[in-house]
Amino acid sequence: MPADRQDLADNRTDRPDAAALPRVRDVLDAEVLLRGDPQVLVGGDALDAPVRWVHVSDSDQVAQLLDGGELLLTTAAGWPGADAALRGVVDSLADAGIAGIVMELGARFPVAPPALVAACRSRGLALIALEQVVKFVAVTEAVHRRIIAGQLEALQERQSLHELFTGLTLRGAPADTVVRETARVLGAPVVLETLGREVVTADMRGATASAVLTDWPARSRIGEGLLAVPVEARGVRWGTLVALPGPAHPAGRTTVLELAATALALARLADGPEAWAELPARELVDAVVNRRHTGADDVAARLQAAGLSVRGRVLSVLIAAGADAADVSALVSAIGAGGAGGASTAERDLDVRALGAVHGGDGVVLVSASVSLAAALLRRASEASGVGLAVGPDVATVAELLASVRPTRLLAARLRAGEVRRVDDRPLTRLVTELGDDHRLQEHSERMLAPLIRHDEQHDGDLVRVLRAVVSHPDSRTAAAAASHLSRSVFYQRIALIADLLGADLDDGETLSALHLALLASGR
């Protein structure tokens, strides 16, 4: 039965056997064929057809003997001369799915008939004319050696891939590691997505997140050259592994993705759904806090792909110092629940998405909401997690969100358990952040705090900590003493020592403000 050329082009060319096959253009480089002075009469994309085998025949009925993928070598001695008949021969060969025609010019056809050339061009079939006589047997041997060598390389590559992904599975590699290795092998970006097309993790492989992930959930795979395989096991499908266009792989790009998808499925079975649920938050928080991104567009694309809308939304960051994974989970649940429990009508109508992770000992939660989060909701979230909660300013752009991280972290470091403070209510914290690394601010900090720092280093003291409690509670020494975890008598002794070392009056408002500014700038 004649082979279906469309099936060969669309489905078989990316399989391991086809990926290792030489293309028609590769065959033309063979030395034995170059001796025939080959002239490409129909080329272009037709030269990219894979050559599965070489067949030699001069019969015009040869199509019924072919299975598809053959490169036909012929003198066309048995072919008809009429234009319509030549078109019929080309149609039969194209329907059989051959890779191309190499015709030796000679007694039957001193030049390639125009009807033959037109018919090949119409069917997208490569046509090469040989001006000189060559030994077809030598061409056959050369091409077959190349095919067999390619198949051997494909086998070796498949073995290497099996070892790679089996090793990752045995070591319990997480999903992001498997995706990163897959992108490295393919030399192209790779994305792991959920069934809802939210991105679990991705490796950009030299591209930017904004180029790869912008509008990802709505992005069509048709016509973009995207290759996708399901991630599933035991009859349950959890997601899809998608590779963007990239170079061919000897073992076949589909094979690479299928092996990677198997490793991911096994990891999912072993680690449970929580492992995937944590990945987007961890990677996004790391990108935002450590500035591992190429700009606001990059972060916006990642947030959107993870299911956190950024367009027309109120964005904010919440940070809880000293929070662990359980605390962050409680925060995210409380914020994401929005209108649970005794929420007000406004809170019940709140459309909010949140994701968070532990980073550097702090819990960091990124929030996208329809309106600003109410104070009551924030208090309930803090109570649910048992941590102090610093709330960044409400912003409308990702660039503003990125800028709000530093002042929120500064504020979080000074909060007690259960305390909720907004950065917008802490103007000094915002001022320090906006001044950034201005050397004058750093010099001010060093000048004012140097005596206390030297004393603490020499005596293993706690004067800086006590001063921080004082400036955090300027109107209540009782609260400051409690925050410093010292008895009142010891606390007042520390205050007196601080005043002596600094030569300053700690009851003076301007002095306290200057010391507060110095502490904020130092990050202590």
Side-chain angles (χ1 to χ4, degrees):
M1 180 180 294
D4 183 352
R5 182 176 178 81
Q6 187 62 39
D7 175 71
L8 177 72
D10 286 350
N11 298 323
R12 292 176 55 186
T13 55
D14 197 54
R15 304 308 302 172
D17 56 345
L21 295 175
R23 306 310 192 200
V24 174
R25 66 174 74 253
D26 301 325
V27 172
L28 295 181
D29 293 335
E31 182 179 353
V32 63
L33 203 57
L34 290 174
R35 295 173 191 157
D37 190 16
Q39 304 296 316
V40 178
L41 303 181
V42 178
D45 292 341
L47 296 178
D48 291 324
V51 178
R52 186 181 61 82
W53 207 243
V54 176
H55 190 87
V56 180
S57 175
D58 292 334
S59 170
D60 62 346
Q61 301 298 315
V62 66
Q64 59 189 328
L65 304 176
L66 304 177
D67 291 326
E70 295 92 349
L71 181 67
L72 177 65
L73 304 183
T74 183
T75 63
W79 288 18
D83 291 353
L86 282 175
R87 286 194 294 269
V89 172
V90 171
D91 285 339
S92 67
L93 293 174
D95 290 341
I98 69 168
I101 302 171
V102 177
M103 184 174 71
E104 183 181 278
L105 302 178
R108 180 68 181 94
F109 292 110
V111 296
L116 175 64
V117 176
C120 287
R121 183 173 293 111
S122 174
R123 294 301 302 266
L125 189 61
L127 176 62
I128 295 93
L130 298 180
E131 301 281 355
Q132 305 294 328
V133 175
V134 297
K135 294 182 177 179
F136 281 178
V137 65
V139 175
T140 301
E141 290 175 348
V143 176
H144 286 179
R145 278 197 301 269
R146 190 161 187 168
I147 291 171
I148 293 170
Q151 293 292 335
L152 179 59
E153 181 186 6
L155 287 172
Q156 293 170 338
E157 286 291 334
R158 286 200 294 275
Q159 179 62 32
S160 176
L161 290 171
H162 277 290
E163 292 173 356
L164 169 64
F165 289 110
T166 299
L168 291 173
T169 301
L170 294 177
R171 292 195 297 273
D176 54 341
T177 299
V178 176
V179 169
R180 183 172 62 249
E181 284 300 293
T182 307
R184 179 188 62 80
V185 171
L186 289 176
V190 174
V191 178
L192 173 62
E193 64 180 22
T194 65
L195 293 179
R197 298 208 64 185
E198 291 183 358
V199 173
V200 177
T201 184
D203 189 286
M204 302 305 149
R205 201 61 190 171
T208 63
S210 57
V212 174
L213 299 179
T214 297
D215 295 325
W216 179 264
R219 185 172 178 178
S220 172
R221 298 193 187 115
I222 300 174
E224 291 196 31
L226 303 184
L227 185 63
V229 299
V231 178
E232 58 187 355
R234 298 178 181 174
V236 178
R237 180 173 176 178
W238 298 302
T240 307
L241 191 61
V242 183
L244 274 72
H249 190 277
R253 300 179 79 235
T254 298
T255 296
V256 176
L257 274 192
E258 288 174 344
L259 291 171
T262 299
L264 287 167
L266 293 174
R268 169 86 178 203
L269 287 173
D271 299 337
E274 297 80 8
W276 280 23
E278 295 170 357
L279 263 178
R282 191 168 69 239
E283 292 184 352
L284 271 168
V285 166
D286 181 59
V288 169
V289 177
N290 279 349
R291 302 178 184 179
R292 298 182 188 277
H293 56 78
T294 60
D297 289 344
D298 179 290
V299 177
R302 296 191 196 192
L303 289 169
Q304 196 80 32
L308 221 63
S309 299
V310 297
R311 299 187 184 106
R313 306 280 287 180
V314 177
L315 308 176
S316 60
V317 59
L318 314 179
I319 299 182
D324 59 20
D327 297 331
V328 172
S329 178
L331 272 174
V332 171
S333 297
I335 295 296
S344 67
T345 302
E347 289 173 17
R348 285 194 295 271
D349 293 338
L350 177 65
D351 174 20
V352 59
R353 293 293 303 273
L355 55 82
V358 176
H359 187 281
D362 295 338
V364 181
V365 179
L366 304 175
V367 179
S368 168
S370 54
V371 295
S372 177
L373 299 182
L377 176 59
L378 293 169
R379 283 196 302 272
R380 285 199 299 274
S382 178
E383 291 166 359
S385 58
V387 296
L389 190 60
V391 183
D394 294 334
V395 297
T397 69
V398 172
E400 293 171 318
L401 179 70
L402 295 173
S404 72
V405 171
R406 186 165 181 257
T408 311
R409 294 190 79 186
L410 284 174
L411 179 58
R414 290 159 175 79
L415 298 182
R416 302 187 305 273
E419 186 178 9
V420 179
R421 290 287 185 91
R422 290 182 180 271
V423 169
D424 282 339
D425 299 331
R426 311 297 291 178
L428 204 58
T429 299
R430 295 201 69 169
L431 175 63
V432 170
T433 304
E434 290 167 2
L435 291 176
D437 298 324
D438 190 302
H439 69 91
R440 291 168 296 182
L441 184 60
Q442 301 305 317
E443 290 167 1
H444 164 78
S445 176
E446 293 169 6
R447 182 171 61 253
M448 294 209 72
L449 300 179
L452 303 186
I453 294 173
R454 282 197 300 269
H455 181 277
D456 284 352
E457 290 175 347
Q458 293 169 4
H459 302 90
D460 193 22
D462 58 0
L463 297 185
V464 173
R465 181 170 63 83
V466 171
L467 178 62
R468 186 166 62 244
V470 171
V471 300
S472 297
H473 305 277
D475 57 345
S476 174
R477 292 293 166 86
T478 300
S484 63
H485 304 291
L486 298 173
S487 66
R488 286 179 60 85
S489 60
V490 173
F491 175 72
Y492 279 104
Q493 290 173 8
R494 296 286 199 277
I495 288 180
L497 180 55
I498 292 171
D500 289 341
L501 289 172
L502 296 180
D505 180 5
L506 297 187
D507 290 323
D508 179 68
E510 184 174 340
T511 299
L512 279 183
S513 296
L515 288 170
H516 196 175
L517 183 65
L519 285 168
L520 289 172
S522 70
R524 293 178 178 273

